[in-house]
Amino acid sequence: MEEKRVRAVDLVDVFVYLVVLCAFTQLFPEVISESFLTSLATAILLKVVLEVIVWAKGRVIGRIKGALTRRARVTAALALPVLAAGSKALILWLTDIVFGDAVHLGGFWAVTLLVLSLMLARALVRRVVS
C-alpha cells in the first residue's frame, strides 16, 4: 500500500494562504480570525476548497474546448460564472460550518478579493520557488 505524503508545494501554499489571511485580518475589519491556530486551520480549509474549485474550473474549460456543438460550448461557458460565484458562497458557508463565529471572512466581495489575493500570491510564490 502506497503511503500518502504531503507535497512540499502544498505546504508552501498553506503558508502563503496563512500569510495572506493574516494580512486580511489586519487590513479589513470585516475579516476576523480569533487566533493563529484558527487562521492556520482556515488556511488549510481554503487550500482544500480552492484545489477542488481549480480542478472544477479546469474541467469546465476542458468541456468548453472539447465541445463539438455551439450549444454545448455556450452551456459549458455559462457554468464558469456560476462556478465562480458559487465557489465564494461555498467558502463562506464552509468556514461558517467549520469555525462558526471564530472566523468571519467578510461578505461576498471581501471573500472574492481574498480568493483573488490567495491565488495571485500562490502563483507568484510558485514562480519564485520553481
Side-chain angles (χ1 to χ4, degrees):
M1 186 168 167
E2 186 178 322
E3 183 179 328
K4 296 275 185 180
R5 292 184 181 226
V6 176
R7 299 175 310 159
V9 70
D10 295 326
L11 289 176
V12 171
D13 286 351
V14 169
F15 176 69
V16 169
Y17 289 1
L18 177 62
V19 170
V20 171
L21 180 61
C22 287
F24 265 67
T25 61
Q26 295 296 310
L27 298 172
F28 300 100
E30 67 271 12
V31 179
I32 300 167
S33 184
E34 288 189 358
S35 69
F36 175 78
L37 289 178
T38 306
S39 295
L40 178 60
T42 305
I44 293 168
L45 176 73
L46 288 169
K47 167 66 176 164
V48 171
V49 172
L50 290 175
E51 287 298 323
V52 171
I53 292 166
V54 167
W55 173 83
K57 284 182 181 178
R59 296 272 310 206
V60 170
I61 290 170
R63 286 184 180 212
I64 292 170
K65 291 179 180 177
L68 299 176
T69 65
R70 182 181 180 114
R71 181 177 178 183
R73 191 174 299 115
V74 168
T75 302
L78 290 174
L80 276 178
V82 171
L83 183 61
S87 65
K88 307 320 177 281
L90 176 66
I91 289 169
L92 289 170
W93 179 72
L94 282 175
T95 54
D96 186 47
I97 294 296
V98 174
F99 301 111
D101 290 338
V103 175
H104 183 69
L105 298 179
F108 181 81
W109 297 112
V111 80
T112 299
L113 182 60
L114 175 63
V115 168
L116 290 173
S117 299
L118 291 171
M119 299 309 286
L120 178 62
R122 168 184 153 159
L124 290 173
V125 169
R126 283 185 174 191
R127 176 175 256 179
V128 169
V129 173
S130 298

